C-alpha cells in the first residue's frame, strides 16, 4: 500500500484569498472550472484541457494501482448481483380502479412502471426505463406519477447526472409522450384534481429550485404560468400534494426554517395561500382532512416536534391547537392523515415505531419490533379512504419485509419478503448495538453486523460507516452488499453520530454549525470503543462516508490519522470553506444554516476554517485514501475531491496510497443503473480489502 513515484502531481498555482482580513493560500483553486454550469450540462466536452488532463491522469493512476484487484472486483460484483432478484417487483399500490407498481427485468438496469386492475389481472406497461435509457451513458428516472383520471403519466429523467430533469407527459392509452416537454425541472410534476394542469419546479442556471410553474396539458411549455417565485437564494422549493389529494403544497425550506403555501387542487388557477410566515428556526409540514390542516412542527420550543391542527380558513400560528403534544426525547419524524385515522413515524431511544391514531376518539396504538437495531419505513400509498397502511421492516440480519396492516383489526399481512437468490441464512449473522462513550459524557450508538464465526479478538478488519449531517439518520437496515465484506471476516459497523437525529433533534443540533466538531470526535470515539471491545484494531479499520460523510472522512484524516487503516470518501464535501464562501454555487446559500455563513460572520469563517478538511491538510502520515468524484455533480462539485487529493499527495509524510477516481459520465449518486452501481461498490470494497491485506 505504498504510493508510486509515477503518481500524478497537480501543478501548484498559488492563489491568495482574503476574507475578514484573513489571508489563505490555495494552490489548486485552478481545478475549479469557471464554466462549471456548462460542465454540469455538457460534462467532459466543456472542461478546460488542463483540468481534463489532470482528472484523466488520476483515473489512469487509480486504475493502474488497483489493476491487481480486477478479478476480485468481478467476484464481488458477481456476489452482490447474485443477491439481487433480477426480475424483482414491488407490491402494487391500489389507486381507484387500478394498482400501480414497478419491477425490473432480468438483466435490466432501470425500473419499469406498470399498472394492473385493482384486484389483479393483465399488466399495462407505463414506462420502460431500460428502453428510455438506450444509447445514453447515464440515465436516471426522476418522479413518475399518474393523473387523478388515470389517463396521463408525468415522468422525468436526467441523462447527464447533473440533476437537471426533463419532464414529459405520457398518454397511458397510447403509450406515447405528448409534445409537453419541459427542460430543467426539479424532477417531478403534480397534477391538479381535474388532470388538466401539472405543477413543477424549474431550476435556474445555478441549479436553484426557485420557481413554481403551472403547465396546461397540451400547450406550449413556453407559455406556462409562473405561480410562485422564491426570491431568497438560501431556500429550496418543492411541490407536492396532501394524502387526501385536496391540496397542492408548495414547500419552502432551508435546513432549519420552513414556510408552506397551498392551492386547492380543484381550483388550480387560484392564488397560493400562506399557512404561516417563515420564522428562523421554526419548521412545519402539513397534511389535511376536510376543513382542517394537520401540522407537524417544532414551534413553541417543541424540539422533538409535535402535531397541531388549524382550520383551513385561518391556518396561521395563532390558531394552532396541540393534538399530539411534544414529548422530549421522542422525535416525530413524519405524519400522514387518512379518512378515519392518522399515522406518525417517531423515534425514541434510537429505535423507530409507527403510531396509529383513530380520529374519531383519538385512541392510539403502536407498531414496533423487539430487535436491538432495526429499520422501519412507512409509505403513504395513493388512497385516502382506506383502512390499510403499508410498512417495511428490516434489520442488519433480516431481509426487508413488506406488510399491509389493517388499522381496525390490527392484522398484519406479509405481502413481500426480500429474496436473496444466492441464499441467506439469518442465523449465520449477529447484529448488536453498542454505546460508545464520547469525551463529553455522551454515548454514541453503533450498530454492528458480523458473521457468527468471526473471531472477536481484535484481529478482524472492520468497515465503519458514518454520515452525521442534516439531521439524517442512517438506519440499521439489511444491506446485501455488506455481506461480501462480512463473509470475508469483516465486522460492518454504522456510527450513529451527532449531526443526525438518531437520539432526537438535540442530537442534530449538537452536530451542526458551531458544534460540528462533535460529529468528528463522535466517530473517532466509536472507532476507539470498537477497538476497546476487541471488534478490530485501529490499523484494520476502514472508514467510509459520502458527501457530507466524505467531509467526515477528511476531518478524521486530519484529526486522528493513526486510528484508521484506510478511508473511502465518496463525493466528499472537503473544501468546505471555499464552497461556503462561493454564493454562486447551487447549494451554498441554503447550506448556511447547517454550517454557518463565513461571508458575513467572521466567527463562522474561523470555525469552518478550523476543521475544513482541505484547509487543514498538513505534513503528517495519512492512512490510505480512496476518493471518488462525479464530474457533473451539482451537490459536491468534482473539484473538491480533486483539490483535496492534489494537496494530500503534495503534503503528506510517508508513502500511504492516495487515489482519486472521477466518474466522467455521472454526478452525485454515481452510476445510475442498478448493476453499474454495484461495480462501484465492488471497487470500494476491493480498496477496503486491500487495506485489510486481503487483496
Amino acid at each position: 500500500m505504498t504510493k508510486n513515484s509515477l503518481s500524478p502531481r497537480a501543478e501548484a498555482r498559488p492563489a491568495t484569498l482574503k476574507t475578514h482580513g484573513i489571508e489563505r493560500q490555495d494552490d489548486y483553486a485552478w481545478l475549479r472550472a469557471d464554466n462549471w454550469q456548462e460542465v454540469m450540462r455538457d460534462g467532459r466536452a466543456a472542461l478546460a484541457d488542463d483540468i481534463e488532463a489532470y482528472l484523466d491522469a488520476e483515473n489512469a493512476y487509480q486504475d493502474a494501482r488497483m489493476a491487481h484487484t480486477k478479478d476480485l472486483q468481478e467476484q464481488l460484483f458477481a456476489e452482490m448481483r447474485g443477491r439481487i432478484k433480477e426480475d424483482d417487483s414491488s407490491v402494487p399500490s391500489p389507486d381507484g380502479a387500478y394498482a400501480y407498481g414497478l419491477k425490473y427485468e432480468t438483466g435490466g438496469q432501470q425500473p419499469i412502471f406498470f399498472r394492473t386492475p385493482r384486484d389483479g389481472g393483465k399488466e399495462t406497461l407505463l414506462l420502460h426505463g431500460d428502453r428510455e435509457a438506450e444509447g445514453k451513458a447515464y440515465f436516471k428516472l426522476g418522479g413518475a406519477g399518474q393523473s387523478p383520471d388515470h389517463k396521463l403519466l408525468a415522468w422525468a429523467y436526467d441523462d447527464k447526472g447533473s440533476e437537471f430533469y426533463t419532464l414529459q407527459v405520457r398518454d397511458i392509452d397510447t403509450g406515447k409522450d405528448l409534445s409537453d416537454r419541459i427542460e430543467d425541472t426539479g424532477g417531478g410534476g403534480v397534477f391538479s384534481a381535474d388532470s388538466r394542469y401539472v405543477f413543477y419546479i424549474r431550476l435556474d442556471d445555478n441549479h436553484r429550485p426557485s420557481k413554481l410553474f403551472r403547465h396546461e396539458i397540451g400547450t406550449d411549455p413556453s407559455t406556462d404560468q409562473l405561480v410562485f417565485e422564491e426570491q431568497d437564494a438560501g431556500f429550496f422549493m418543492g411541490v407536492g400534494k396532501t394524502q387526501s389529494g385536496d391540496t397542492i403544497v408548495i414547500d419552502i425550506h432551508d435546513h432549519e426554517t420552513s414556510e408552506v403555501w397551498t392551492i386547492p387542487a380543484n381550483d388550480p388557477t387560484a392564488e397560493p395561500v400562506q399557512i404561516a410566515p417563515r420564522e428562523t428556526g421554526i419548521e412545519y409540514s402539513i397534511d389535511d382532512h376536510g376543513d382542517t390542516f394537520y401540522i407537524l412542527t417544532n414551534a413553541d420550543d417543541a424540539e422533538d416536534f409535535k402535531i397541531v391542527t388549524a382550520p383551513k380558513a385561518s391556518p396561521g400560528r395563532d390558531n394552532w391547537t396541540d393534538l399530539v403534544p411534544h414529548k422530549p426525547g421522542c422525535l416525530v419524524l413524519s405524519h400522514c392523515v387518512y379518512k378515519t385515522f392518522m399515522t406518525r413515524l417517531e423515534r425514541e431511544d434510537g429505535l423507530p415505531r409507527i403510531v396509529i391514531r383513530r380520529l374519531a376518539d383519538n385512541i392510539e396504538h403502536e407498531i414496533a419490533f423487539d430487535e436491538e437495531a432495526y429499520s422501519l419505513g412507512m409509505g403513504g400509498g395513493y388512497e385516502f379512504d382506506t383502512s390499510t397502511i403499508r410498512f417495511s421492516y428490516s434489520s442488519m440480519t433480516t431481509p426487508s419485509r413488506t406488510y399491509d396492516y389493517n388499522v381496525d383489526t390490527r392484522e398484519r399481512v406479509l405481502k413481500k419478503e426480500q429474496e436473496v437468490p444466492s441464499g441467506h441464512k439469518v442465523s449465520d449473522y449477529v447484529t448488536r448495538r453498542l454505546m460508545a462513550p464520547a469525551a463529553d459524557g455522551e454515548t454514541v450508538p453503533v450498530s454492528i453486523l458480523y458473521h457468527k464465526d468471526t473471531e472477536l479478538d481484535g484481529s478482524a478488519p472492520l468497515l465503519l460507516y458514518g454520515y452525521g449531517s442534516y439531521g439524517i439518520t442512517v438506519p440499521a437496515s439489511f444491506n446485501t452488499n455488506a455481506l461480501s465484506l462480512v463473509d470475508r471476516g469483516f465486522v460492518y459497523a454504522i456510527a450513529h453520530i451527532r449531526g443526525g437525529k438518531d437520539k432526537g433533534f438535540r442530537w442534530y443540533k449538537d452536530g451542526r454549525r458551531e458544534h460540528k466538531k462533535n460529529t468528528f470526535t463522535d466517530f473517532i470515539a466509536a472507532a476507539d470503543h470498537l477497538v476497546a471491545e476487541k471488534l478490530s484494531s485501529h490499523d484494520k479499520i476502514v472508514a467510509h462516508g459520502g458527501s457530507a460523510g466524505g467531509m467526515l472522512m477528511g476531518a478524521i484524516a486530519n484529526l486522528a490519522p493513526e486510528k484508521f487503516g484506510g478511508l473511502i470518501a465518496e463525493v466528499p464535501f472537503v473544501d468546505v470553506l471555499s464552497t461556503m464562501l462561493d454564493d454562486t454555487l447551487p447549494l451554498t446559500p441554503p447550506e448556511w444554516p447547517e454550517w454557518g455563513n463565513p461571508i458575513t460572520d467572521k466567527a463562522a469563517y474561523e470555525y469552518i476554517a478550523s476543521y475544513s478538511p482541505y484547509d487543514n491538510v498538513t505534513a503528517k502520515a495519512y492512512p490510505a485514501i480512496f476518493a471518488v468524484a462525479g464530474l457533473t455533480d451539482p451537490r459536491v462539485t468534482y473539484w473538491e475531491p480533486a483539490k483535496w487529493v492534489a494537496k494530500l499527495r503534495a503534503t503528506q509524510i510517508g508513502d500511504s496510497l492516495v487515489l482519486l477516481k472521477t466518474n466522467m459520465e455521472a454526478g452525485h449518486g454515481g452510476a445510475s443503473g442498478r448493476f453499474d452501481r454495484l461495480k462501484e461498490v465492488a471497487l470500494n470494497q476491493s480498496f477496503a480489502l486491500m487495506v485489510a491485506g486481503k487483496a
Side-chain angles (χ1 to χ4, degrees):
M1 292 294 291
T2 58
K3 64 184 180 183
N4 189 298
S5 60
L6 299 179
S7 61
R9 288 289 193 274
E11 180 185 352
R13 303 178 190 174
T16 301
L17 311 170
K18 189 172 183 179
T19 309
H20 300 298
I22 304 169
E23 286 191 356
R24 62 189 176 104
Q25 181 174 303
D26 189 344
D27 289 347
Y28 304 104
W30 65 271
L31 287 169
R32 176 193 185 278
D34 291 334
N35 64 331
W36 57 265
Q37 294 98 330
E38 295 174 51
V39 173
M40 283 187 192
R41 292 179 180 275
D42 301 328
R44 181 191 285 272
L47 270 183
D49 291 344
D50 54 352
I51 298 174
E52 182 180 22
Y54 173 66
L55 297 179
D56 283 343
E58 287 285 5
N59 280 348
Y61 178 65
Q62 177 274 318
D63 195 54
R65 291 312 308 270
M66 294 190 68
H68 69 287
T69 70
K70 293 292 186 184
D71 289 345
L72 174 61
Q73 290 177 45
E74 291 177 8
Q75 183 181 350
L76 290 165
F77 171 74
E79 288 175 11
M80 290 185 279
R81 183 167 181 166
R83 298 189 192 102
I84 294 176
K85 187 175 187 296
E86 294 211 11
D87 59 348
D88 202 8
S89 177
S90 70
V91 181
S93 295
D95 184 16
Y98 302 98
Y100 291 80
L102 64 84
K103 64 179 181 178
Y104 289 88
E105 290 181 342
T106 298
Q109 299 254 31
Q110 301 288 342
I112 299 165
F113 292 84
F114 68 91
R115 77 179 181 193
T116 66
R118 181 185 183 97
D119 297 321
K122 184 180 178 181
E123 288 184 0
T124 298
L125 176 67
L126 304 178
L127 181 67
H128 196 299
D130 289 309
R131 294 175 190 168
E132 302 296 339
E134 284 179 6
K136 297 180 171 64
Y138 180 95
F139 184 84
K140 183 177 181 180
L141 286 168
Q146 65 271 19
S147 59
D149 65 5
H150 300 280
K151 294 180 179 179
L152 302 172
L153 183 79
W155 68 283
Y157 68 90
D158 166 23
D159 59 5
K160 296 287 193 303
S162 60
E163 299 178 42
F164 282 102
Y165 287 87
T166 299
L167 178 65
Q168 300 198 167
V169 179
R170 176 164 296 186
D171 183 310
I172 291 177
D173 283 343
T174 66
K176 303 292 185 182
D177 289 320
L178 306 179
S179 59
D180 313 56
R181 179 186 174 91
I182 306 169
E183 305 286 354
D184 300 340
T185 78
V190 177
F191 283 99
S192 59
D194 61 5
S195 304
R196 180 180 172 185
Y197 298 95
V198 64
F199 292 83
Y200 65 91
I201 303 294
R202 179 170 287 160
L203 308 180
D204 65 17
D205 288 340
N206 284 11
H207 209 278
R208 289 177 180 150
S210 58
K211 294 181 179 180
L212 175 71
F213 285 86
R214 183 180 64 245
H215 172 72
E216 185 173 3
I217 304 299
T219 66
D220 185 343
S222 67
T223 65
D224 288 355
Q225 181 68 41
L226 177 64
V227 176
F228 192 93
E229 182 173 5
E230 174 52 47
Q231 300 290 343
D232 190 333
F235 282 79
F236 301 98
M237 182 162 60
V239 62
K241 190 183 285 189
T242 56
Q243 183 69 23
S244 67
D246 291 345
T247 304
I248 306 291
V249 179
I250 307 167
D251 172 51
I252 301 164
H253 63 278
D254 61 15
H255 292 295
E256 65 173 4
T257 303
S258 58
E259 181 177 270
V260 173
W261 295 69
T262 64
I263 299 170
N266 62 2
D267 189 9
T269 60
E271 290 295 315
V273 174
Q274 185 185 69
I275 298 293
R278 69 190 71 170
E279 298 179 49
T280 300
I282 302 298
E283 298 180 71
Y284 69 95
S285 59
I286 73 162
D287 208 339
D288 67 357
H289 186 293
D291 296 328
T292 303
F293 285 124
Y294 287 71
I295 303 170
L296 175 64
T297 182
N298 66 345
D300 307 315
D301 298 318
E303 183 177 69
D304 287 310
F305 289 75
K306 63 180 180 177
I307 298 175
V308 304
T309 59
K312 281 187 175 179
S314 50
R317 276 193 62 184
D318 289 345
N319 296 316
W320 290 7
T321 301
D322 283 6
L323 179 67
V324 179
H326 176 236
K327 180 183 176 183
C330 180
L331 178 64
V332 184
L333 298 164
S334 63
H335 73 309
C336 190
V337 184
Y338 299 84
K339 186 174 181 179
T340 61
F341 63 96
M342 177 180 74
T343 63
R344 68 180 186 270
L345 182 63
E346 60 188 30
R347 184 183 298 112
E348 190 169 19
D349 297 326
L351 293 176
R353 62 173 172 253
I354 296 169
V355 181
I356 314 295
R357 185 185 188 97
R358 196 162 59 197
L359 298 180
D361 53 17
N362 291 327
I363 290 177
E364 295 187 346
H365 69 275
E366 299 176 1
I367 306 173
F369 294 84
D370 296 328
E371 287 195 75
E372 281 188 55
Y374 62 86
S375 173
L376 193 60
M378 181 171 60
Y382 296 119
E383 298 193 308
F384 177 67
D385 186 1
T386 181
S387 59
T388 301
I389 64 168
R390 182 165 292 165
F391 70 87
S392 61
Y393 164 84
S394 75
S395 75
M396 296 179 80
T397 60
T398 308
S400 178
R401 296 170 178 169
T402 301
Y403 294 90
D404 274 358
Y405 180 80
N406 187 298
V407 300
D408 296 326
T409 66
R410 306 190 185 183
E411 179 188 9
R412 297 180 192 181
V413 177
L414 179 63
K415 301 294 288 186
K416 180 184 177 182
E417 185 166 7
Q418 180 181 356
E419 293 183 43
V420 182
S422 59
H424 175 71
K425 190 175 179 181
V426 174
S427 60
D428 282 346
Y429 302 92
V430 179
T431 183
R432 293 164 52 195
R433 175 163 287 206
L434 306 179
M435 300 302 288
D440 60 359
E442 289 285 1
T443 55
V444 181
V446 185
S447 300
I448 61 173
L449 172 73
Y450 55 89
H451 195 280
K452 66 178 184 179
D453 295 334
T454 299
E455 293 289 338
L456 301 182
D457 57 3
S459 64
L462 184 147
L463 189 133
L464 180 59
Y465 180 83
Y467 188 75
S469 291
Y470 307 116
I472 293 172
T473 297
V474 181
S477 55
F478 189 63
N479 180 349
T480 57
N481 296 337
L483 297 177
S484 286
L485 289 178
V486 172
D487 287 347
R488 287 172 170 79
F490 265 73
V491 176
Y492 177 72
I494 302 169
H496 303 279
I497 51 185
R498 276 176 279 192
K501 293 178 182 172
D502 306 71
K503 294 177 72 174
F505 196 84
R506 177 186 61 83
W507 203 242
Y508 170 39
K509 289 203 306 183
D510 286 350
R512 68 177 182 181
R513 284 205 294 269
E514 68 273 17
H515 305 297
K516 188 64 212 169
K517 292 180 184 178
N518 285 334
T519 302
F520 317 140
T521 55
D522 279 0
F523 192 84
I524 294 167
D528 286 341
H529 188 63
L530 290 165
V531 171
E533 293 292 307
K534 297 192 178 300
L535 287 157
S536 189
S537 56
H538 283 298
D539 63 329
K540 294 180 180 294
I541 296 179
V542 180
H544 181 203
S547 195
M551 175 190 62
L552 168 67
M553 297 300 101
I556 63 169
N558 291 327
L559 289 170
E562 74 284 357
K563 294 190 176 182
F564 301 92
L567 306 175
I568 301 169
E570 295 190 87
V571 290
F573 178 33
V574 284
D575 194 12
V576 184
L577 187 57
S578 295
T579 294
M580 287 298 101
L581 286 167
D582 187 350
D583 61 5
T584 69
L585 293 174
L587 295 186
T588 293
E591 298 286 88
W592 288 329
E594 182 76 14
W595 315 106
N597 184 347
I599 298 174
T600 61
D601 184 347
K602 183 179 180 182
Y605 176 98
E606 292 175 334
Y607 188 71
I608 294 171
S610 73
Y611 72 75
S612 176
Y614 176 68
D615 294 281
N616 287 279
V617 171
T618 58
K620 64 178 65 171
Y622 282 90
I625 293 174
F626 182 31
V628 181
L631 183 63
T632 56
D633 188 346
R635 298 172 185 260
V636 177
T637 51
Y638 75 85
W639 60 81
E640 294 208 27
K643 289 173 60 178
W644 182 50
V645 164
K647 189 173 182 180
L648 280 166
R649 196 171 283 133
T651 308
Q652 71 168 352
I653 294 173
D655 57 2
S656 289
L657 186 66
V658 177
L659 299 175
L660 170 67
K661 177 180 176 60
T662 302
N663 190 327
M664 303 296 280
E665 296 177 332
H668 195 67
S672 56
R674 60 175 176 160
F675 301 131
D676 288 343
R677 174 57 186 156
L678 290 182
K679 293 177 182 177
E680 296 179 344
V681 176
L683 180 61
N684 290 343
Q685 291 192 357
S686 294
F687 181 83
L689 287 160
M690 282 172 55
V691 170
K694 292 178 176 286

